[in-house]
Amino acid sequence: MRIARRTFLKSCAAIGAAGAASALPASARETAPVPDGAGVLVDTTKCLGCRTCEAACAEANGLAAPEAMGDDAIFATHRTTSPGQFTVVNKAQGGGEDRYAKSQCLHCLVPACASACPVKALDKTEAGPVVYHEDRCIGCRYCMVACPFDVPKYQYDRAIPYVRKCTMCATRLAKGGKPACVENCPAEALTFGKRSELLAEAKRRIYAPGSTYVPEIFGEHDAGGTSWMYIADRPLSDFGLPRDVGDETRFDKTRGALGAVPFVITLWPPLLMGLYTASRRRDEENDHE
């Protein structure tokens, strides 16, 4: 049975449109701010640089133990998270008294990674954490492009790779617990609670009589706000915290730019196939004449 060219092209367009519609990032449409979920306040004036949080994170997530525990030489180089280490402690740059801070996923209120994901492999839960569903991930790595903090990491060395990052110990939170890093911090540099309460506590410390804190809370507004927030008694830029992400969420930017990619990928093949078939049909008709 021969299919008329017009019918074939209509079918291709319908298939492409249906596929594109299904490929559009549903998470982008559904992601909504979670302003008062769980969060963590990092008080850098209390951090000892002991890296107990690194060890606790590794144990809780079944990762290899952090390297060079107890060796201060590791602070000579600024480190970043990796597929095998979800949090790292770095020493602040600049002069003055030694200060340290851990870094990990900041669990944005409106996470760009989740809005860019075409299959909702990353999801902002009502409890606060941004969690990862490896069974949904297709390895497109749009999340890595979208994240303003360069957090998601990819297992390039694995036959079946996944995206890896801190999940704020979402499983522990669901059972009424705290993130492993918070629970094991010996200096109480990490405070877990509702984000609104943490903001109030941060401001109380900053504006207390005799306070030496700088009047700024990293994460209050940055990138639309984050669940992890930092206070310090020196410029927050000394801790490697990005100061150029702006106060707006990346939601609209990632939805507009990265959301178009699956549309193009899905629609382009049937369009090319239709053009090829039309051209071939025209050549056959010319040869017949």
Side-chain angles (χ1 to χ4, degrees), residues 213-236:
Y213 291 97
V214 296
E216 185 178 9
I217 304 170
F218 181 86
E220 182 178 12
H221 303 296
D222 303 82
T226 61
S227 295
W228 281 67
M229 297 169 288
Y230 291 73
I231 55 175
D233 60 353
R234 57 200 297 172
L236 290 162

Side-chain angles (χ1 to χ4, degrees), residues 80-82 104-105 143-153 242 245:
T80 61
T81 60
S82 69
Q104 69 295 305
C105 175
C143 55
M144 297 173 65
V145 177
C147 177
F149 303 113
D150 191 29
V151 167
K153 299 297 189 301
V245 296

Side-chain angles (χ1 to χ4, degrees), residues 117-123 131-140 154-155 160-164 167:
C117 181
V119 293
K120 207 172 183 179
L122 287 155
D123 187 24
V131 299
Y132 173 65
H133 306 283
E134 63 182 32
D135 58 322
R136 302 176 186 174
C137 183
I138 58 176
C140 67
Y154 197 63
Q155 296 175 310
I160 303 177
Y162 294 112
V163 171
R164 306 285 278 168
T167 62

Side-chain angles (χ1 to χ4, degrees), residues 27 40 61 74 102 109 111-112 130 155 164 190 194 224 279 283:
S27 55
V40 176
N61 291 282
I74 200 165
K102 72 189 294 289
L109 300 186
V130 177
Q155 296 175 310
R164 306 285 278 168
L190 308 174
K194 284 189 175 182
S279 176
D283 291 342

Side-chain angles (χ1 to χ4, degrees), residues 201-286:
E201 175 61 19
K203 292 175 181 176
R204 187 191 66 77
R205 295 183 192 184
I206 289 173
Y207 297 109
S211 166
T212 58
Y213 291 97
V214 296
E216 185 178 9
I217 304 170
F218 181 86
E220 182 178 12
H221 303 296
D222 303 82
T226 61
S227 295
W228 281 67
M229 297 169 288
Y230 291 73
I231 55 175
D233 60 353
R234 57 200 297 172
L236 290 162
S237 57
D238 287 0
F239 297 88
L241 296 168
R243 312 303 296 129
D244 57 352
V245 296
D247 291 347
E248 295 181 357
T249 173
R250 299 293 179 91
F251 173 79
D252 289 332
K253 294 178 181 178
T254 54
R255 180 179 58 175
L258 297 178
V261 177
F263 178 82
V264 173
I265 291 175
T266 307
L267 186 59
W268 198 241
L271 178 61
L272 291 177
M273 183 180 295
L275 292 174
Y276 168 76
T277 302
S279 176
R280 184 176 178 182
R281 176 67 63 83
R282 185 174 60 250
D283 291 342
E284 290 176 353
E285 291 174 352
N286 290 337

Side-chain angles (χ1 to χ4, degrees), residues 183-205:
E183 192 169 277
N184 288 276
C185 178
E188 298 183 348
L190 308 174
T191 304
F192 175 77
K194 284 189 175 182
R195 186 175 185 274
S196 60
E197 296 173 355
L198 295 176
L199 271 173
E201 175 61 19
K203 292 175 181 176
R204 187 191 66 77
R205 295 183 192 184

